[in-house]
Amino acid sequence: MSYVLALDQGTTSSRAILFDQAGNIAAVAQKEFQQFYPQAGWVEHDPMEILTSQMTCAVEVLGKVGARPRDVAAIGITNQRETVIVWERETGHPIHPAIVWQDRRTAGFCSELEQSGAGDNISNRSGLVIDPYFSATKIRWILDNVPGARARAERGELAFGTVDSWLVWHLTSGHRHVTDVTNASRTLLFNVVEGRWDPELLRIFGIPESMLPDVAWSSERVGEVTTTLGLGGISIAGIAGDQQAALFGQLCWNPGDAKNTYGTGCFLLQNIGTNFMRSKYKLITTIAASAQHRLEYAFEGSVFIGGAVVQWLRDNLRIIGSSAEVGALAAGEKDAGGLIFVPAFVGLGAPHWDPHASGLLIGLRRDTRPGHIARAALESIAFQVADVLEAMDSETPQPLAALRVDGGAAVNDLLMQFQADVLGVPVVRPQVTETTALGAAYLAGLAVGFWHSPEDLRSSRKADTRFEPKMDRAEATRLRARWHQAVERSKNWAE
Ligand SMILES: Nc1ncnc2c1ncn2[C@@H]1O[C@H](COP(=O)(O)OP(=O)(O)O)[C@@H](O)[C@H]1O
Ligand SMILES: O=P(O)(O)OC[C@H](O)CO
């Protein structure tokens, strides 16, 4: 067996990546898919397009190196998290479009729940906060708004899954209905202390237990791919939410290790070991992926709009033709010309947690040029990450010595340098920035003995690029203070 295949089902694209024994990328296939914004604050995907784009990539990537299914030791699946799909067990058809993690149609219900005083009980069980981001209120919305759905769910006719479950159900012979602990920990329905679905949380959110998948460990064989799909017989042996997969792929296996991924959103996760703890600074506690069959935890700060602000410049403002062009446009200006961009397009996540915050561009002048806007957009990504890192540093006695980074937008040197500058901490980027897929591959490869111990993997890590902070600290402090003023103005605005 020569390869492990990682299926990385992200928010904006599906990717399939083949890794060889040395942890090198042998081939990549990628397909962007459509985003739907049917109303203000709503974000949807077509579940069938998620499935077909992912399958097309998987078959294509094998073709690129002439591999056959028998050359692949295992499949690891990693996915955009929290996104909700509800389908008919009988036919496999979704009963509603996927409601994406960024969607905040349930903000009103979340505010009511918050005001009822349920917050602490929910957080102590789930590790999360009440926010439309997580799956539970989205499932509830489907049950309440699709005619007949609640009654059908109660009769056991409907299945709920995050994207991993949706893919595994369709890929496996016998339609295995399963998720893993990391994805379960994003639903608001999973008791992360006890490692099981929580009857009290199911009651609070009004979700019938019969809809829920089994819960597997992240590194465990869960089924074989149906023979008709061009990947016949390969074992699916790893599942993890994309941010937990990236934490694992960055080799952050010990308490204190942390990484930040710059994808559609930005997600800073820090391993906190095997003891559940709640954050004092509005971070969430999530289950980390582990190759050992035990619960491990991470603190997480989730920023909803990261690289997506660059897509917004491309698709909405149209001042760039591709995401990669943002670097050159921004580099044409020496600074942001006094502009601050708060990209609260879908509210604000950690550490602010305001689903009613709205996007804001402040400091516009007669001489404002597209390059200033591009620069302010990139800077907004770094400012948001700095706020999360500050919260995380307050949790632990030892501030982070360096930040490990990855994800699609981490290729941007200007962004990485500005990140190091505002943090005052070096930023370290691995040669393989596809650490999400790498993490999923590791989890699957370890489960089937393709790799024997996590320690085998350390030796395969390639040289890093380091960005050292260069900015004067007083200037960094001044810029962050301006940013915080702008953030305050963006809050509690959307109706
Ligand atoms: N050179 C670049 N500079 C800044 N952002 C970029 C660059 N290239 C890609 N991006 C951004 O990275 C994101 C894609 O990253 P990726 O990790 O593939 O995300 P996801 O898994 O969320 O789909 C997009 O939002 C895109 O705008
Ligand atoms: O698809 P990404 O990489 O933006 O990740 C999305 C996250 O999993 C959402 O929680």
Side-chain angles (χ1 to χ4, degrees), residues 43-47 50 83-85 94 96-100 105 142 163:
V43 186
E44 295 181 349
H45 291 158
D46 174 358
I50 287 179
T83 297
V84 164
I85 304 174
H96 190 272
I99 303 186
V100 177
R105 75 186 66 186
I142 290 178
V163 169

Side-chain angles (χ1 to χ4, degrees), residues 8-13 15 79-83 101-102 133 186 241-244 261-267 300 302 304 436:
D8 178 3
Q9 206 303 303
T11 311
T12 55
S13 72
R15 267 194 294 264
N79 55 289
Q80 53 166 321
R81 306 164 304 165
E82 302 95 15
T83 297
W101 56 276
Q102 295 166 319
Y133 173 34
R186 314 300 297 182
D242 54 10
Q243 303 311 322
Q244 286 93 335
T261 300
Y262 300 78
T264 303
C266 289
F267 301 90
E300 172 173 327
S302 329
F304 297 153
T436 300

Side-chain angles (χ1 to χ4, degrees), residues 8-15 30 32-33 35 79-80 101-102 242-243 261-265 267 306-312 314 320 322-328 378 381 406-415 433-434 436:
D8 178 3
Q9 206 303 303
T11 311
T12 55
S13 72
S14 297
R15 267 194 294 264
Q30 175 164 9
E32 277 206 23
F33 57 87
Q35 310 288 313
N79 55 289
Q80 53 166 321
W101 56 276
Q102 295 166 319
D242 54 10
Q243 303 311 322
T261 300
Y262 300 78
T264 303
F267 301 90
V309 72
V310 176
Q311 284 172 315
W312 188 83
R314 183 191 69 185
I320 47 175
S322 71
S323 293
E325 288 173 22
V326 72
L378 289 177
I381 302 174
D406 54 54
V411 300
N412 190 306
D413 288 355
L414 191 147
L415 170 60
T433 52
E434 296 282 4
T436 300

